[in-house]
Amino acid sequence: MASKLERFAMIRLLTTLLASAGLCNWLPLPAHAELDVVGLKGAIARSLEREYPKLEALYKDIHAHPEIAFQEEKTAAKLAAEMRALDFQVTEHVGKTGLVAIYGNGEGPTIMVRTELDALPIEEKTGLAYASHDKTTWQGRETFVAHSCGHDIHMASWVGTAKTLIGLKDRWRGTLMFVAQPAEEIGAGARAMLIDGLFTRFPKPDFGFALHANGGFAYGSVLYNVGVGSSSSDGLYISFRGRGGHGAVPQATIDPVMMAARFVVDVQSVISREKDPTEFGVVSMGSIHGGTGANIIPEDVVLLGTIRSFKPEVRAKMLEGIVRTAKAIAAMSNAPEPVIRITEGPKAVINDPGVLGTAEKVLRAAFGDKLKLVPPVTPSEDYSEFISSGVPSMFFRIGVYEPERVAAAREGEGPQLPPNHSPLFAPVPRPTIETGIEAMTLAVLSVFDEHARKKE
C-alpha cells in the first residue's frame, strides 16, 4: 500500500495534469499544494479566448462614450449589468456614481479589486475607428471628453478578471469585492466612496489590488514598486492682491501681475535650493488668471498649481517654503498679504510588503522577466485613500504599446510614445487587456492561496 506521502504526490500530479488539460475546474487543490501557475495560466487563457470578443466590445463602447468625474452614470450602469450577469450583488450610486459588486464563495478573506470610471476633459486625436467625439459641460464650459489615461482598459480588465475568477471559483474561498470608483482624475472619488460608507455598509477588505495602464512600456509587461509607488498631491491656490490702475501710470498702482510673475520663478528656488536634491518634489503652476485689458493693471491675479512629493517630510518643507515665498513677494511690493490655500489631495500609494511578496512570487512564475521592478511614478493616485483606511494592497501597472515601437522610441529611432493624458494615447487593446486580466487574476488567487495555507 502506498504511503501517505506517496498518495499525496499522486494526487498532486493528477491535479496538475487535469488542470493543464482544462478538465478539473471542479477539483480543489490538495492541502498545502503550491499554486499551480502553469495550470492557471492555461485556464485563464481558455477563459480569455471565450470571453475576449465581448470584453473588446465593452472596451470600445466605453472608450467611444466616456464620462468625466462624477458624471459616470452610463459607464457605471454598463459595469453594473456585467457584474449582475455574473451573480454579483451590485450596489450602485456609492460615492455618487460608484458601484460595489460582492461575490461570496465560502469562508475566507475579502479581497477588493478596484477600477476607475472617469475620463478626462480632453479632445481625442488618435483617429481610431472607436475614438470619442463626445462632449460635456465641465466647470461651466463645453469640452470634449476622452479616455486618455487608460481607465477604459482598466474597466475591461476588471470585468474580465471577475469573469475569470468566477470561472475558477473552485480554486479559492472567500469574498470578492469589486469596486468601480468615480472621479479618480480629480482625486475625489475614493474619498467620496469612503464617506458614503464603503467600508461600513460593505465588508472592509482584508486585501486590495488595483492596476494602471502605463504609456511608457510594451504590452505583456507588468510593472511594480516596492514601497512608495506614486506621489502625494496638493492643490495650490494663491491670490496676489494689489491696487489697479492705468498701465501708463504704474507708480499709482500695486501690480499683482508683477508679483505673480516673480512668484512663478522664485518658488522654484524652494525646489532647487531648500529641498534635498536627491528627494523628489515638484511645484508646477498650471494656471494664471488676471486682468482684462492690455493697458489696465488689475486688482488681483490668481495662480493655480500642483505640489507633488513622495515623503511627508519633503512635502512639509515644500509647503512652508511656498507660503513663505508668496508672503515675502507681497511684502516686497508693499501689497496686502496674499490669500493662500493649499488643498490636501491623495497621499502616496505604498505597496504592502506582505501582499507584494505573496503576489510577486506568482507573477514572477507567470511573466518571468516581463515582471519589472520600476521606480515610483510622479503622478498621483487616490487609491491611496483605501490604503490609508487600512487595506493592505498591491498597486501595479501594465504596458500598452507594441514592443518594437517601445524599443524604437527608447533608442531614438522612432517617434516618442504618447503618454497617459496625451490626446494621442492609444493602447493596443487585446494584449493589454489580456495582460491586465491574467496579472490581476493571479495576484488575487495568490492571496487567497496564501491565506488558506496559513489557516491550515
Side-chain angles (χ1 to χ4, degrees):
M1 179 178 291
S3 68
K4 182 177 180 181
L5 181 60
E6 289 171 332
R7 290 197 303 273
F8 175 84
M10 291 170 63
I11 293 171
R12 178 73 182 95
L13 177 60
L14 178 62
T15 301
T16 302
L17 291 173
L18 290 175
S20 299
L23 300 175
C24 73
N25 280 350
W26 51 269
L27 186 62
L29 290 172
H32 305 294
E34 291 185 1
L35 204 62
D36 178 16
V37 178
V38 173
L40 287 171
K41 280 173 64 71
I44 294 168
R46 289 186 290 275
S47 175
L48 286 170
E49 193 64 32
R50 293 190 305 270
E51 299 293 342
Y52 183 76
K54 296 177 183 177
L55 293 172
E56 183 172 286
L58 175 66
Y59 164 72
K60 289 181 176 179
D61 182 27
I62 291 172
H63 184 96
H65 303 291
E67 296 172 298
I68 56 175
F70 291 127
Q71 296 184 18
E72 314 98 323
E73 295 283 355
K74 294 179 182 178
T75 304
K78 292 171 186 175
L79 297 194
E82 294 284 343
M83 301 305 275
R84 288 192 176 102
L86 295 172
D87 292 329
F88 278 77
Q89 296 180 350
V90 178
T91 304
E92 297 180 74
H93 301 106
V94 180
K96 193 171 182 179
T97 49
L99 67 88
V100 178
I102 303 289
Y103 190 98
N105 186 33
E107 291 188 10
T110 296
I111 298 182
M112 179 175 72
V113 179
R114 187 217 67 169
T115 187
E116 314 94 309
L117 293 166
D118 58 326
L120 290 161
I122 188 173
E123 182 179 4
E124 181 173 352
K125 298 180 181 179
T126 63
L128 293 167
Y130 50 91
S132 169
H133 303 288
D134 287 5
K135 294 182 179 181
T136 192
T137 299
W138 176 245
Q139 296 182 344
R141 61 183 179 86
E142 186 179 61
T143 180
F144 283 97
V145 188
H147 272 297
S148 298
C149 194
H151 294 183
D152 47 353
I153 290 284
H154 307 171
M155 285 182 264
S157 299
W158 185 83
V159 172
T161 298
K163 290 184 176 185
T164 305
L165 286 168
I166 296 304
L168 296 170
K169 65 181 180 181
D170 62 293
R171 310 290 184 94
W172 55 272
R173 293 291 179 268
T175 299
L176 298 176
M177 182 177 180
F178 273 57
V179 173
Q181 175 208 310
E184 187 279 329
E185 294 293 358
I186 62 172
R191 188 172 298 179
M193 294 191 82
L194 290 169
I195 291 171
D196 200 17
L198 179 62
F199 293 160
T200 54
R201 295 165 55 190
F202 308 95
K204 183 174 181 179
D206 297 291
F207 309 100
F209 291 94
L211 61 76
H212 205 293
N214 187 305
F217 287 83
Y219 58 65
S221 57
V222 179
L223 323 166
Y224 72 102
N225 313 98
V226 173
V228 173
S230 68
S231 71
S232 64
S233 173
D234 295 289
L236 177 62
Y237 169 101
I238 299 179
S239 175
F240 285 107
R241 299 172 294 170
R243 184 168 61 237
H246 200 294
V249 191
Q251 72 276 15
T253 72
I254 298 176
D255 190 348
V257 175
M258 186 75 78
M259 287 186 276
R262 182 178 290 125
F263 175 81
V264 170
V265 175
D266 286 357
V267 75
Q268 295 306 320
S269 67
V270 174
I271 305 303
S272 65
R273 290 296 177 268
E274 297 186 32
K275 178 189 66 63
D276 183 339
T278 65
E279 301 287 358
F280 169 71
V282 167
V283 179
S284 294
M285 307 309 301
S287 176
I288 302 178
H289 292 279
T292 56
N295 62 346
I296 305 169
I297 292 175
E299 291 284 328
D300 58 32
V301 173
V302 172
L303 293 86
L304 303 176
T306 187
I307 307 162
R308 308 293 175 113
S309 57
F310 290 150
K311 295 183 178 179
E313 59 270 26
V314 174
R315 174 179 177 268
K317 179 177 283 291
M318 289 168 58
L319 297 188
E320 187 278 329
I322 290 165
V323 171
R324 173 168 37 82
T325 300
K327 290 182 177 180
I329 286 170
M332 287 169 58
S333 299
N334 197 28
E337 190 169 280
V339 177
I340 306 170
R341 291 199 290 267
I342 296 174
T343 305
E344 185 175 331
K347 299 294 188 297
V349 168
I350 301 176
N351 280 333
D352 178 80
V355 177
L356 179 63
T358 297
E360 182 186 10
K361 290 183 290 186
V362 173
L363 293 175
R364 180 70 64 192
F367 291 94
D369 60 5
K370 290 184 178 180
L371 177 68
K372 302 177 185 295
L373 176 62
V374 296
V377 299
T378 55
S380 301
E381 163 62 60
D382 73 348
Y383 185 84
S384 59
E385 294 285 346
F386 302 131
I387 295 174
S388 297
S389 297
V391 180
S393 295
M394 178 180 178
F395 190 102
F396 61 91
R397 293 174 173 81
I398 54 175
V400 302
Y401 291 129
E402 300 91 337
E404 59 276 11
R405 185 179 172 194
V406 174
R410 289 181 178 173
E411 294 170 9
E413 298 175 357
Q416 291 299 302
L417 302 169
N420 301 65
H421 289 219
S422 164
L424 299 174
F425 182 71
V428 182
R430 180 160 190 160
T432 304
I433 293 169
E434 289 185 343
T435 299
I437 293 169
E438 182 180 346
M440 186 62 80
T441 299
L442 290 172
V444 170
L445 288 174
S446 74
V447 174
F448 274 131
D449 181 70
E450 181 72 10
H451 182 271
R453 288 172 186 280
K454 290 180 177 178
K455 190 174 180 180
E456 292 170 356

